[in-house]
Amino acid sequence: MLKDITIGQYFPGDNLIHRLDPRFKIVMTLLYIIMLFMGDELYSLSFGIVYCIAALVLSKIPVKLFGKSIKPLLPILIMTAILDIIFIREGTVYFQAGFFKLTEDGVFTAVKMIVRIIFLIIGSMLLTYTTSPIQLTDAIERLLSPLKRLHFPVHSFAMMMTIALRFIPTLMIETDKIIAAQKARGAGFDSSKLRDKAKALVPVLIPLFVSAFRRAEELATAMECRCYRGDIGRTKMKSMNAGICDIVSLTITFIMFFAAATVAVLF
Amino acid sequence: MIILRAEELTYQYSTGTPFEKTAIDHVNLEIEEGAFVGVIGSTGSGKSTLMQHFNGLLKPSSGHIYLNGQDIWADKNKLRDVRFRVGLVFQYPEYQLFEENVYRDIAFGPSNMGLNDAEIKLRVYEAAAFTGLTEEQLFQSPFALSGGQKRRAAIAGVMAMKPEVLILDEPTAGLDPMGREEILAEIKKYHQKTGCTVMLVSHSMEDVSRYTDKLLVMDKGKIFCYADTNEVFKCADELARIGLAVPEITRICNSLRKKGIPLDESIYTVDEAVRQIVHYYKSKSGGDV
């Protein structure tokens, strides 16, 4: 049950996409997302799709993995499509029954929305699959470092994110264990009544909170023992250096971005 | 009478992926009613996984588990009933305490069974007595207790369900020597008084050797041997090969025997060793030691 969630799961590999500087990857992903949502027509959308598929092929990550991540979002996708079809009433009418009108524009918008959301997910998944959480937060810290001038605690923010990501799998394993232990004492998790379901959560959530606080305290002590003082005088073991590959990739992304923008404006 | 029986039991993790691993490999096993069984094996030998099969928390990939001759997976609606009849205390059970006081936490299992208040009260007090919890402690928050007391409260929570089989997964892990002794003694007392079947999973040969009648040795998901405790310790060399050491006192006696002192092959308590060594010297020196 809990094993199937893949938030920020890193899929180790050694290829162009994996090796790219994470800072560049984040910027490229942002450009890509804007690219997806820029134009209203299929022409501009196709740039994003081509870009994403190219990156997907280069990353050598099995497509099956993405399918698994999209599956839980299917209800949202279907809902979006249904709403689009019901509320967009312009264009050629295919079919009409009372209030309900199936129009060309409605179908078209629904398809575009689904494609967009799917590619949005694939694109952001690609970032987390090819970049380890540590690299990611490190890159975010670097990218946000100009905000330090405004006294924004960039380092603490990045550290908090790193720790949160680090503890997701730990807490999931813990939850599984607690559920098993309470089941052994006859806790019912299979009742279909909402009231019973909510009641069954208490024996799981309380131990989970207690253990999360315990871990937080232990971690804080451990960090203090190692003289952690935030980013004062802290150096990085792995410094990030942009190479020729990074610059070329970013340039290509920018060219695609402006091409998509031009097409979006022109058509 | 056989209370628990495993038949060709196999369990695989992550079947069909590159991470596939067989944790339990075609295990056949019969546990006699009323036995006190020790379960040992090195880390990853499948002890805990096997135990979680006995109360239906894990579903076998293939094979069957029988409780009193009935396949526990035959009727899924009766699984909850199986969990009341085969009580399982997990490793570090104190992390599952959640109620506002110890009494209510111990009562969690019995009240899930749908018992009436009088019966629940009776069982809570009985379980508290077995684990040495005082009346005062019963009405404290479980989080206010010491580590050893929390452990007892958690164990009492399973004992209070009065299971026919009580399985404890490393009940003494992380406790100081005093705490270990006390908890093991309490479990032994529980076994003697209730006469129910107890299975004790442990890393420590010392612990299982002193308390159990039978020993189940697991290695790499298979049963290495299942025999009377004193029989098992005769095969010190084989045990060492799968990464398990016989108790220190057994090793010392084995060395002494090799040097020509006629001691039994199955000594695993210091008292017994002392008795035999004294006996040997007495007979040698004509009785004046």
Side-chain angles (χ1 to χ4, degrees):
Chain A
M1 171 180 66
L2 291 167
K3 271 173 258 156
D4 301 330
I5 305 172
T6 52
I7 309 165
Q9 222 176 55
Y10 179 52
F11 193 87
D14 188 29
N15 53 55
L16 181 73
I17 307 281
H18 275 88
R19 277 195 306 262
L20 282 181
D21 187 313
R23 288 172 297 177
F24 282 68
K25 264 194 269 190
I26 292 180
V27 173
M28 288 191 279
T29 310
L30 285 177
L31 286 173
Y32 160 75
I33 290 171
I34 301 171
M35 216 187 316
L36 275 184
F37 283 88
M38 227 159 21
D40 228 13
E41 291 301 320
L42 272 180
Y43 308 117
S44 52
L45 190 58
S46 57
F47 280 95
I49 296 175
V50 169
Y51 181 79
C52 182
I53 291 174
L56 194 70
V57 171
L58 283 173
S59 73
K60 289 182 186 137
I61 287 176
V63 182
K64 238 169 65 185
L65 236 64
F66 293 97
K68 242 173 91 183
S69 318
I70 291 173
K71 223 174 164 186
L73 292 162
L74 271 181
I76 298 175
L77 287 176
I78 292 168
M79 270 301 284
T80 321
I82 290 174
L83 288 178
D84 276 337
I85 287 172
I86 291 177
F87 289 107
I88 295 175
R89 306 167 65 84
E90 288 86 34
T92 322
V93 178
Y94 290 141
F95 171 81
Q96 188 163 16
F99 171 78
F100 180 74
K101 229 160 76 176
L102 185 71
T103 65
E104 191 189 344
D105 282 17
V107 174
F108 200 60
T109 316
V111 170
K112 265 193 305 190
M113 212 53 205
I114 289 182
V115 171
R116 255 183 201 151
I117 296 176
I118 289 179
F119 274 89
L120 176 71
I121 297 165
I122 294 179
S124 33
M125 280 284 161
L126 199 57
L127 178 68
T128 51
Y129 276 141
T130 59
T131 325
S132 71
I134 302 286
Q135 275 186 320
L136 262 184
T137 46
D138 230 16
I140 291 172
E141 186 181 349
R142 298 292 189 88
L143 285 172
L144 294 180
S145 60
L147 290 178
K148 274 184 196 165
R149 299 246 172 97
L150 305 170
H151 297 289
F152 183 77
V154 177
H155 174 79
S156 318
F157 185 69
M159 182 56 88
M160 260 153 49
M161 271 182 28
T162 313
I163 293 171
L165 287 174
R166 156 69 184 77
F167 277 96
I168 289 174
T170 312
L171 289 178
M172 277 209 252
I173 294 170
E174 197 125 319
T175 312
D176 269 347
K177 267 194 204 155
I178 295 171
I179 289 179
Q182 305 298 24
K183 262 191 188 166
R185 293 204 282 165
F189 293 99
D190 16 58
S191 170
S192 53
K193 272 189 250 160
L194 194 66
R195 221 187 97 106
D196 291 350
K197 268 189 178 169
K199 250 175 113 182
L201 276 181
V202 176
V204 177
L205 287 184
I206 292 177
L208 193 62
F209 271 115
V210 171
S211 110
F213 280 113
R214 184 173 42 84
R215 280 179 195 284
E217 215 177 308
E218 279 168 9
L219 184 69
T221 313
M223 282 165 84
E224 238 161 46
C225 287
R226 289 163 179 75
C227 302
Y228 177 77
R229 301 181 294 156
D231 60 344
I232 305 161
R234 192 173 164 88
T235 53
K236 301 268 179 208
M237 187 169 89
K238 285 182 186 153
S239 62
M240 287 181 203
N241 296 313
I244 188 85
C245 274
D246 302 309
I247 293 165
V248 171
S249 311
L250 189 65
T251 315
I252 293 174
T253 313
F254 264 114
I255 293 172
M256 293 279 277
F257 180 79
F258 284 118
T262 319
V263 171
V265 172
L266 285 183
F267 290 93
Chain B
M1 219 193 74
I2 305 299
I3 186 150
L4 269 176
R5 186 157 70 87
E7 189 184 276
E8 289 296 312
L9 183 70
T10 301
Y11 184 73
Q12 278 184 335
Y13 282 109
S14 319
T15 316
T17 69
F19 310 106
E20 186 176 302
K21 189 181 172 259
T22 306
I24 305 280
D25 197 0
H26 296 280
V27 161
N28 288 297
L29 180 68
E30 287 181 341
I31 304 288
E32 301 81 1
E33 192 174 359
F36 195 149
V37 182
V39 184
I40 47 169
S42 47
T43 314
S45 57
K47 303 170 290 202
S48 297
T49 314
L50 181 63
M51 296 308 124
Q52 287 184 48
H53 276 92
F54 284 145
N55 75 341
L57 276 175
L58 291 177
K59 190 173 188 211
S61 305
S62 68
H64 300 276
I65 305 269
Y66 298 94
L67 174 62
N68 276 331
Q70 287 213 312
D71 189 337
I72 63 169
W73 284 95
D75 182 1
K76 276 194 177 178
N77 297 323
K78 286 196 179 145
L79 263 184
R80 209 163 154 224
D81 194 44
V82 169
R83 291 187 188 137
F84 295 132
R85 291 168 62 196
V86 182
L88 175 59
V89 181
F90 274 81
Q91 250 174 66
Y92 297 99
E94 58 272 29
Y95 294 147
Q96 78 207 26
L97 298 170
F98 71 98
E99 275 288 6
E100 57 193 275
N101 60 42
V102 176
Y103 178 93
R104 292 189 54 162
D105 210 285
I106 298 176
F108 181 66
S111 53
N112 280 333
M113 298 170 82
L115 300 171
N116 62 43
D117 287 348
E119 176 69 18
I120 290 175
K121 190 173 176 187
L122 198 73
R123 286 184 175 212
V124 170
Y125 277 93
E126 206 177 11
F130 273 126
T131 50
L133 289 167
T134 63
E135 167 110 37
E136 190 196 345
Q137 281 163 349
L138 271 183
F139 293 96
Q140 278 175 359
S141 160
F143 302 106
L145 300 180
S146 73
Q149 287 163 345
K150 275 187 202 166
R151 180 83 48 102
R152 277 151 210 234
I155 294 173
V158 176
M159 282 180 177
M161 300 193 303
K162 289 201 178 164
E164 289 158 49
V165 183
L166 178 69
I167 304 176
L168 301 113
D169 195 350
E170 306 243 8
T172 57
L175 294 181
D176 58 85
M178 263 273 273
R180 295 164 75 111
E181 283 304 308
E182 282 168 12
I183 285 196
L184 288 173
E186 281 155 9
I187 295 168
K188 181 80 188 170
K189 196 177 76 194
Y190 172 84
H191 174 244
Q192 283 164 345
K193 277 208 175 162
T194 61
C196 78
T197 317
V198 178
M199 297 181 79
L200 179 75
V201 180
S202 179
H203 262 109
S204 158
M205 280 285 188
E206 261 84 9
D207 284 357
V208 287
S209 62
R210 271 176 303 129
Y211 290 98
T212 62
D213 327 320
K214 296 208 81 173
L215 212 51
L216 172 66
V217 186
M218 300 271 306
D219 182 41
K220 297 189 186 107
K222 290 190 161 89
I223 290 178
F224 182 76
C225 69
Y226 178 54
D228 287 344
T229 303
N230 49 8
E231 293 295 316
V232 173
F233 289 123
K234 285 183 186 163
C235 351
D237 296 338
E238 282 93 331
L239 288 174
R241 222 180 30 241
I242 61 165
L244 292 168
V246 295
E248 261 175 54
I249 191 67
T250 311
R251 253 182 297 161
I252 292 170
C253 292
N254 284 346
S255 308
L256 287 174
R257 199 172 48 251
K258 275 179 196 149
K259 290 214 184 298
I261 298 170
L263 298 171
D264 263 5
E265 272 181 322
S266 54
I267 296 173
Y268 47 87
T269 61
V270 178
D271 292 343
E272 178 65 17
V274 170
R275 202 185 60 78
Q276 292 206 15
I277 291 169
V278 168
H279 178 79
Y280 167 71
Y281 279 105
K282 263 188 187 158
S283 61
K284 213 175 124 191
S285 61
D288 41 71
V289 172

